[in-house]
Amino acid sequence: MRKYDLEEQKKTPYLDAYKKYLKERVAVFDVPGHHQGNIRTDFNKVFGPSIYKSDVNAPRGMDNLSHPTGVIKEAQDLFAKACGATYSKFLINGSSQGNLIMLMAALKSNDKILMPRNVHKSVINGLVLSGATPVFVMPEIDKNTEIVNQISYKTWKKAIDENPDAKAIFIINPTYFGATCNLKKIVVYAHLKNMVVLVDEAHGSHFYFSSHSPITAMEAGADMSTLSIHKTGGSLTQSSVLLVNGNRVPRYDVVKTFNLLTTTSPSSLLIASLDSARKYLVFHGSRTINHVIKLAKEARERINEIKGFKARGKDYFKENGAYDYDETKVVVELDNLALTGFELYKILKDKFNIQIELGETYVFLLLFTVGTKKSDVDKIINALTKISKKYYKDDIIYPDHHYLKDNFPPLALRPRDAYHASLKVVKLKNALNKISKEMIMTYPPGIPIIIPGERFNQSVIDELTYYKKIKANILSDFEGVNEVSVVDEPKKKK
């Protein structure tokens, strides 16, 4: 575990300034216009006056997120020290904002970057905005669950050696389902080849506060990473942190890009929740996360006693391409159930009042975090037991849905070029071999099935047709994915 200056880490400079301001009963003539709740709306009726009173912008004494010199700067410095980073920046638009900043600060137009094909949609947006050219590195695929797993060191090394002109590599650690890679070894080799290392740690912010978690990006020596503290660390939704290590990416470029992508009206609630979550994690994170890991282990054992479910743990993922594994994730494979994971997702909420993170064709995901309660674990075990009794069938044979997991669409244009190209709208069934102008994905997890610049192949069309048929939550420019936007390519002369 990292050693902290515990006396210093007891401070919550932003939260303290926030409390002081709220006690002063200021006469308000600035934004936001509700002036601490001096209006009566339905929102006010539901939540009471406290949220409105707490919703202030950047009044005197509470610093400025775009150019912090006071309590925000002090809070960010404390967070950087807690995570072993050179400095940090508070994000109020989630790790999506962090991914955009990393790509745009580290890369210029036409620069080449190596990255997994299973990156989040925000990373593809970063390619569009930066103008960088991706070289996709294919991860291992778990054929049983259809989960996209990790990339081995050997595969990363090969990609780096074959692309010596690449300026950076982008790593997901952990994946959405908890698999991690040999991060330290990959970072060392990439730096040897003068490549910047960017890491999406959106689902691993708790790693920094538990000795029972996989290695962090800062410990591995990566140059930048983004953490969704709101996902696993206890802060409010949308609040994340960007960590920077060293100066391979110049601080000027980071700050310039941060200010380009940051609102001038940030939520004080989000900033305060980051300041508060950091103190909690420093002093209580290790004990709490270790307890959560034990709770997740118990849940796997209990789930595996229920017919129709196979809860997968660290050993399983390491056998299927992961170097290490985040044991706070509980991935459950469906086995002989007359249900898909999509249907199970809906049943758990509609019939049992249980909200899970994700349902896929043959798998569902439970997140165990600092806020997980034992009583909620008991509740889902009870629900799965009842579902098993109703839907378990010995003779079920699942159809194969390994669509583009085996055949990713080929990249024909740089994402930025495709995004700005002339538009043509076609029926999905007629999109074969045409270049996509849009990202299409199921959500969650938000990993694109096709991105701007990739050509539609039959695998993409089949997968989207399947997801449409089962009424999965598909995000695209056209509701229902009956139509898709493609590049209007000039006709070839005969």
Side-chain angles (χ1 to χ4, degrees):
M1 281 293 293
R2 188 174 299 99
K3 292 183 179 180
Y4 310 108
D5 181 335
L6 292 179
E7 281 303 311
E8 186 179 45
Q9 288 291 330
K10 286 179 181 178
K11 299 177 182 177
T12 51
Y14 188 82
L15 185 63
D16 291 346
Y18 199 6
K19 287 190 292 186
K20 180 177 181 294
Y21 180 83
L22 294 177
K23 287 179 180 179
E24 289 173 347
R25 297 187 178 183
V26 175
V28 182
F29 291 95
D30 66 347
V31 296
H34 58 71
H35 284 184
Q36 293 189 288
N38 292 328
I39 59 174
R40 294 293 177 265
T41 66
D42 289 346
F43 183 89
N44 195 306
K45 293 173 185 176
V46 173
F47 297 101
S50 60
I51 292 181
Y52 272 121
K53 287 188 179 299
S54 303
D55 182 37
V56 298
N57 190 7
R60 178 170 168 78
M62 289 181 63
D63 211 353
N64 186 292
L65 185 61
S66 295
H67 183 65
T69 58
V71 290
I72 292 179
K73 182 182 184 303
E74 189 178 351
Q76 289 181 155
D77 289 346
L78 286 169
F79 219 117
K81 290 176 182 178
C83 295
T86 305
Y87 63 95
S88 78
K89 301 293 284 183
F90 285 173
L91 308 174
I92 41 73
N93 196 24
S95 286
S96 292
Q97 182 187 3
N99 285 334
L100 295 178
I101 292 168
M102 289 195 294
L103 288 163
M104 293 177 69
L107 301 165
K108 293 180 173 60
S109 186
N110 294 308
D111 280 351
K112 187 187 289 186
I113 181 170
L114 309 178
M115 61 175 58
R117 177 53 182 79
N118 58 313
V119 290
H120 186 260
K121 61 173 288 191
S122 60
V123 180
I124 306 303
N125 288 334
L127 294 174
V128 172
L129 291 171
S130 67
T133 300
V135 175
F136 289 119
V137 185
M138 295 308 165
E140 299 290 328
I141 308 296
D142 181 341
K143 298 295 184 182
N144 291 325
T145 61
E146 298 187 2
I147 289 174
V148 180
N149 212 329
Q150 267 294 353
I151 298 172
S152 68
Y153 168 74
K154 181 180 178 181
T155 301
W156 271 117
K157 183 178 183 299
K158 182 173 183 290
I160 291 169
D161 290 341
E162 290 177 349
N163 297 275
D165 57 335
K167 294 292 195 300
I169 72 172
F170 188 96
I171 299 171
I172 308 166
N173 198 74
T175 65
Y176 188 68
F177 295 97
T180 66
C181 60
N182 193 343
L183 190 57
K184 176 72 174 179
K185 197 171 182 180
I186 296 166
V187 170
V188 169
Y189 193 73
H191 283 167
L192 184 66
K193 300 297 182 178
N194 296 314
M195 296 181 189
V196 170
V197 182
L198 313 175
V199 185
D200 181 343
E201 288 187 293
H203 291 272
S205 64
H206 55 293
F207 288 6
Y208 286 86
F209 305 96
S210 170
S211 58
H212 295 280
S213 295
I215 190 172
T216 69
M218 295 298 102
E219 289 171 325
D223 300 294
M224 299 176 75
S225 75
T226 183
L227 315 179
S228 289
I229 308 301
H230 70 95
K231 283 186 169 70
T232 61
S235 64
L236 292 176
T237 295
Q238 284 187 222
S239 57
S240 296
V241 173
L242 179 72
L243 300 178
V244 185
N245 183 27
N247 58 5
R248 274 192 181 83
V249 182
R251 185 165 187 152
Y252 171 79
D253 291 335
V254 176
V255 174
K256 174 182 68 176
T257 310
F258 174 86
N259 287 333
L260 178 71
L261 298 172
T262 298
T263 178
T264 54
S265 300
S267 168
S268 294
L269 287 163
L270 300 185
I271 299 171
S273 77
L274 286 169
D275 197 20
S276 179
R278 183 265 313 154
K279 179 181 177 181
Y280 174 85
L281 290 167
V282 166
F283 288 96
H284 306 288
S286 181
R287 174 183 55 80
T288 303
I289 294 164
N290 293 348
H291 169 71
V292 165
I293 290 172
K294 292 176 182 177
L295 204 58
K297 180 182 178 182
E298 177 190 327
R300 287 190 199 93
E301 292 171 352
R302 294 174 68 184
I303 289 170
N304 282 329
E305 293 175 356
I306 305 170
K307 284 186 176 182
F309 302 103
K310 294 179 180 177
R312 302 303 192 178
K314 180 187 281 193
D315 291 344
Y316 178 86
F317 277 89
K318 291 181 75 171
E319 289 168 3
N320 286 275
Y323 177 77
D324 201 353
Y325 187 67
D326 173 15
E327 294 186 282
T328 67
K329 308 289 191 297
V330 176
V331 177
V332 185
E333 183 183 347
L334 305 187
D335 180 42
N336 291 97
L337 283 181
L339 284 175
T340 66
F342 295 106
E343 291 167 324
L344 181 71
Y345 178 94
K346 295 173 184 175
I347 290 170
L348 284 170
K349 176 59 176 67
D350 297 345
K351 303 294 184 183
F352 297 95
N353 207 25
I354 295 172
Q355 181 63 59
I356 63 173
E357 173 64 17
L358 167 96
E360 269 280 3
T361 306
Y362 298 131
V363 74
F364 66 92
L365 173 65
L366 308 176
L367 298 188
F368 281 59
T369 72
V370 292
T372 302
K373 298 187 297 184
K374 173 70 163 57
S375 59
D376 288 339
V377 177
D378 294 337
K379 190 173 180 179
I380 195 165
I381 296 298
N382 178 60
L384 295 179
T385 301
K386 290 180 179 178
I387 289 170
S388 172
K389 290 177 181 177
K390 185 173 181 179
Y391 292 100
Y392 180 79
K393 310 289 182 186
D394 283 318
D395 56 351
I396 285 179
I397 299 175
Y398 289 142
D400 187 359
H401 297 124
H402 293 93
Y403 297 120
L404 57 135
K405 273 67 170 195
D406 294 323
N407 189 13
F408 284 88
L411 188 69
L413 279 180
R414 189 175 59 144
R416 183 173 183 167
D417 291 336
Y419 181 86
H420 289 296
S422 297
L423 168 70
K424 185 177 180 180
V425 177
V426 299
K427 298 287 186 184
L428 174 62
K429 63 182 180 181
N430 298 327
L432 186 64
N433 295 325
K434 292 180 169 53
I435 301 174
S436 179
K437 269 187 62 66
E438 62 177 313
M439 273 186 284
I440 308 176
M441 71 211 74
T442 57
Y443 199 89
I447 297 168
I449 294 168
I450 192 166
I451 69 170
E454 288 182 335
R455 285 195 185 275
F456 279 89
N457 59 16
Q458 195 59 50
S459 294
V460 172
I461 294 171
D462 289 345
E463 182 155 8
L464 289 174
T465 301
Y466 167 71
Y467 282 136
K468 180 186 169 188
K469 180 181 177 182
I470 64 172
K471 298 181 179 179
N473 186 27
I474 301 172
L475 300 187
S476 74
D477 291 345
F478 293 93
E479 209 170 305
V481 202
N482 291 317
E483 296 178 317
V484 293
S485 59
V486 299
V487 173
D488 189 9
E489 298 178 79
K491 294 181 178 178
K492 293 181 181 179
K493 294 182 180 179
K494 294 183 178 179

